[in-house]
Amino acid sequence: MVSLGELTRAAGASLRPLAPFDAARPITGVHASELDDPGRYLEGGELLLTTGIPLRSGSIEAYVDRLDAHGIGAIGIGLGEGWDDAPPALVERCRLVGIPVFAVPDGAPFLDVSRAFWSNTGRTGDDEVLRTAHAHTRLVQAATGAHPVTAIVRQMAQAIGGWVAWLPFGAGAPAGMLHPPSLEGLLPAVRVEVERTLVRSGVEAASFVSHGSTVMAHAVTDGERIRGALALGAGRPLARADRQLALTATALLRLVAVQSTGRRNPEAWITALALQGDAAAARALAAAADIELPLLFRVLVGADDASDFGIEQRGVRVALVPADAEVTRGSGALSSPAILDDLPAAAARALALHRNTPHTSLLVEPESRAEGWVDLLAEADPMLQRTVVAYLRHRQQAERTARELGVHRNTVRPRIAAAERLLAVRLDDPDVAAELWLALRDRTI
């Protein structure tokens, strides 16, 4: 998000304040509308730009109150289209309800304001990525210190600019801690809500509202039972970067928990995080556990392996093996090499390969996914492959495909559906269609 101060500085003369405003107020977007009640198209926090058409036909006070109810971030009125100056009633009503109000001078296009917002959004996004990366590193460093739990909680609170609580569970467990200490009075109420929403339901993560803001809580387990929970709030909506940091902090607390019980297996947590798409948390956890990760992995599904980098997923054993490791024996499905960030997609392909072609020998995904699709079609009913070839040749037109094959179009559609189930793809996806067509042409047509 962009602060109102940043936006006004970037917009310059195109956005003139009509009253004092909070420069730190976050703006989520810029939206132009001439509707009497544009709230249905708003999510909250936007700067609404208008030429003032709705102010001429209705009550200015009611207009502002409706926007206030939708959580508008600010209002900007364009001058020159019937307004030489902003209506005093608009400025006064905005002052009363606490909505910053601005004028867009005559001749200044609304587009200037939008460009200023998106320009700042790009810079803010880059800064956010950098800050998040540093925060992950600091969390890892905190976990390796003499008092890891205290350090993780303190660092996490500083990273999100809010408060973070550690709530241990079990007989003889301490009361817990909350940082910053000035807010420790929240701890009893937070514990009650965490026990209600997280512990009793048995879920791994939950959210609830406490003291007017959303709180996110994650269970910290040692592999057998819940050892505690990490709860955090910031008095603002928690962003994706906050959630990523919370996953890293939770993973580090889990590592601390299993170390204290002598059941240290960070590899399983690294695997789970990577397969969930949390590569940053997986890397941070690996660094904290002094584990060097290879550049490329393969995903091994359905094999009875002894790798520490393995978990149960959908009732199937899923493991990570270095891409250069030799895996030639046993059963299951082995994906093509992938970097840590791409492991969720690699795992999905390996799971589909294992599910769709259950063999007793090891199945290896070809380096080219299209080659794998061609192999699957070659092993299927020959008519299925002929139908797919005709379907792609005629650009996914069932009627023309049916004419080439001499069948009814209602015969084509079930065959295409069967092929899509077999390949675990959609043939109307242009990328899939292009890759598969080229591979089929090179191999069979």
Side-chain angles (χ1 to χ4, degrees), residues 300-303 311-319 351 354-355:
L300 181 60
V301 174
I311 60 171
E312 292 291 320
Q313 192 176 74
R314 303 177 189 174
V316 180
R317 172 76 174 174
V318 180
L351 281 165
H354 175 69
R355 180 177 62 251

Side-chain angles (χ1 to χ4, degrees), residues 197 205-209 214-217:
T197 61
S207 61
F208 54 88
V209 176
T214 300
V215 178
M216 183 166 51

Side-chain angles (χ1 to χ4, degrees), residues 25 27 51 62 119 134 147 168 220 225 236 254 263 276 286 331 362 396 421 445:
R25 183 167 185 152
I27 296 297
T51 60
S119 174
H134 288 326
H147 304 286
V220 176
R225 61 188 179 89
R236 58 171 174 78
R254 286 169 174 168
R263 295 188 297 274
Q276 291 169 7
S331 59
L362 180 68
Q396 296 86 29
R421 287 194 299 270
I445 59 178

Side-chain angles (χ1 to χ4, degrees), residues 77-88:
I77 180 168
L79 304 181
E81 293 293 330
W83 301 100
D84 294 328
D85 295 294

Side-chain angles (χ1 to χ4, degrees), residues 363-384:
L363 297 168
V364 180
E365 181 188 22
E367 296 289 335
S368 164
R369 64 174 184 170
E371 292 295 328
W373 298 333
V374 173
D375 289 340
L376 289 173
L377 288 172
E379 297 175 4
D381 184 343
M383 185 52 70
L384 194 64

Side-chain angles (χ1 to χ4, degrees), residues 239-272:
R240 183 172 182 269
D242 301 320
R243 295 192 290 272
Q244 289 178 330
L245 288 171
L247 287 171
T248 297
T250 302
L252 293 169
L253 288 169
R254 286 169 174 168
L255 176 58
V256 171
V258 297
Q259 283 178 326
S260 66
T261 60
R263 295 188 297 274
R264 184 175 185 270
N265 183 20
E267 293 87 353
W269 294 116
I270 292 170
T271 302

Side-chain angles (χ1 to χ4, degrees), residues 297-374:
F297 282 99
R298 290 179 182 265
V299 181
L300 181 60
V301 174
D304 186 16
D305 72 298
S307 172
D308 290 332
F309 288 91
I311 60 171
E312 292 291 320
Q313 192 176 74
R314 303 177 189 174
V316 180
R317 172 76 174 174
V318 180
L320 306 182
V321 297
D324 56 1
E326 187 175 357
V327 182
T328 57
R329 296 182 179 180
S331 59
L334 186 66
S335 78
S336 58
I339 61 173
L340 196 69
D341 305 75
D342 294 338
L343 287 180
R349 296 195 305 270
L351 281 165
L353 184 62
H354 175 69
R355 180 177 62 251
N356 293 327
T357 55
H359 290 215
T360 56
S361 59
L362 180 68
L363 297 168
V364 180
E365 181 188 22
E367 296 289 335
S368 164
R369 64 174 184 170
E371 292 295 328
W373 298 333
V374 173

